[in-house]
Structure formats: structure tokens, C-alpha cells
Amino acid sequence: MHWLSKTPKVNMLEKSLEWNQGSIKCTRFMKGVHETFQAQFRSDFESILNARAEELVPGGLMVFLLTTGPGGIPFTDTVQGAIFNFLGSCLWDLAKMVVVISEEKAYTFNVPTYSPYVEELESLIQRNGHFAMERMQQLDQPMRHKTFPAQFYLSHLRAALGGLIGKHFGEELLENIFNHINTKEAEILSIHNGKLHKEIEVFVVLKRMSKN
């Protein structure tokens, strides 16, 4: 549910508050970018809650998983943030080569995801008014405490973002892009084996309130 229904239109004027050059993800540092992605997430989440509210009888349950950001931790100090910075730097390497991808394409690539803080999520559910919070529990994934070879992480990166990258830059360039990314094994291992904060996955159970 952290995936947005579309990539918000970020103003590419350099003096704009929404300028996101050099970043492929909403990092919360650029106020205009953060507000644009946040507004899209709120709209999408509201639509999901309203749609489920129409389907459920009073007392019916809605269950979902959602990736949230660690409260008070800068996005760049998280594993997810470091991975997106890593991917962004790889794309910029290729943009500087010119023959692979253009700078314009690199400038305009944004990953349409948004990870709210838990407090923000609770506020949105309360404001919607259709559901009562029955349970919100942080999940501990045992796999996150294990160490894997670099190619394991790189293959996951391609599985998650390969389609999005191919659509933006062109399917014909996908192999060239990931061939370059695959040369960065030491960097991807340092991200996963370091002391960065991990994102939080929460298990949420909502109960449909009585219809007015």
C-alpha cells in the first residue's frame, strides 16, 4: 500500500520548492516534494478506505500490511533510503556517459512510493471515520537479520523496480542499466550489512464502524 497510484507531477524548475534533482525518491528533506508525494498518498489511502467501507458490513474487518518509516529518523539514515540513493547514483553515472541514458531522463525519474510514519497512518484512519483501529503491530521479519550475497539484494532490486525503470528509460536499455548496477556489489553489501535503520512493516486490523 506504500505504492502510489501514479507518480506525482514534480515541478522541474530549479528554483521551485518541488525541485527533486539528484533524488529518485521522496526523502522528506525537500518540503515541496514531500508535500506532493504525501498528498498523493493521502488521496490514494482515503480512496482505498472509502472503497473498503462500501464493501464491508458494520463489524467487518479490513487487514493489511504497510511499510512505514521509523519515527524521527531521516529517510537517508534508513536501509531503504540508502538503497534509493545507491540506485540514483548508478543512474547518474550512466547519465554522465550520455550514450546510455540522458540527464533529462535521470532528472525526471521518481519512484512512486511513500512510507508514512505510524502516527501519520493513525491520523489518516481516524480522519476517514469509517473504521476503528483494532490492532496495529510491528512485525519482526527474521530474514532481515540474515546476511545474503550481493546478487540476492541486486536481484530483488531488479524484481521490484525493473519494470518501472524499463518503462521510464526504455526496455532496450534495461540490461545496460542493470549490468552497471550489478558491478556495485560492495556498495549494496555495505548498505545491508551496516548500521542503518530498517523500515518498519506494520500489521493493521481495522473494524468497519456502524454506517450513519
Side-chain angles (χ1 to χ4, degrees):
M1 292 179 72
H2 60 284
W3 285 93
L4 304 179
S5 61
K6 62 181 179 180
T7 302
K9 292 184 178 180
V10 179
N11 192 333
M12 297 310 295
L13 294 175
E14 195 163 352
K15 294 182 180 180
S16 169
L17 289 175
E18 297 179 5
W19 176 248
N20 202 34
Q21 178 180 349
S23 178
I24 65 170
K25 179 76 168 60
C26 173
T27 62
R28 299 181 186 269
F29 283 140
M30 299 297 291
K31 181 179 178 181
V33 175
H34 176 221
E35 290 177 348
T36 302
F37 276 71
Q38 184 183 57
Q40 185 64 53
F41 174 79
R42 288 179 174 179
S43 175
D44 290 346
F45 192 62
E46 180 80 6
S47 296
I48 291 171
L49 292 181
N50 288 341
R52 297 295 83 80
E54 288 295 319
E55 298 171 347
L56 292 172
V57 298
L61 299 179
M62 175 181 176
V63 180
F64 62 88
L65 300 175
L66 181 67
T67 300
T68 64
I73 303 299
F75 184 72
T76 50
D77 290 344
T78 66
V79 170
Q80 188 183 76
I83 289 172
F84 281 116
N85 285 341
F86 161 75
L87 178 57
S89 70
C90 290
L91 295 175
W92 277 105
D93 286 346
L94 294 171
K96 292 173 184 176
M97 299 177 189
V98 182
V99 294
V100 182
I101 62 176
S102 69
E103 287 192 358
E104 180 183 359
K105 282 288 188 180
Y107 278 145
T108 55
F109 181 65
N110 281 288
V111 178
T113 63
Y114 181 84
S115 298
Y117 292 133
V118 169
E119 296 78 10
E120 184 179 1
L121 180 63
E122 292 174 335
S123 176
L124 291 174
I125 293 169
Q126 183 177 12
R127 188 178 70 177
N128 175 261
H130 291 310
F131 294 92
M133 181 78 72
E134 287 291 297
R135 184 178 181 183
M136 180 181 288
Q137 178 181 339
Q138 179 177 335
L139 298 181
D140 182 24
Q141 299 287 359
M143 294 287 284
R144 292 185 180 181
H145 306 298
K146 295 183 180 293
T147 301
F148 297 95
Q151 283 302 317
F152 174 86
Y153 300 118
L154 292 169
S155 64
H156 274 240
L157 187 63
R158 178 161 186 167
L161 298 176
L164 193 67
I165 292 172
K167 182 178 179 180
H168 184 82
F169 294 99
E171 294 291 339
E172 70 279 4
L173 298 177
L174 197 58
E175 287 303 319
N176 286 338
I177 292 172
F178 275 95
N179 283 342
H180 176 68
I181 293 173
N182 286 341
T183 65
K184 308 287 187 176
E185 290 189 356
E187 291 182 38
I188 198 72
L189 279 178
S190 69
I191 292 172
H192 285 279
N193 297 338
K195 297 183 179 180
L196 293 168
H197 297 274
K198 291 179 170 38
E199 65 278 5
I200 300 170
E201 190 171 30
V202 292
F203 172 73
V204 182
V205 180
L206 305 180
K207 178 183 286 187
R208 179 69 166 98
M209 298 169 66
S210 299
K211 298 180 180 179
N212 296 325

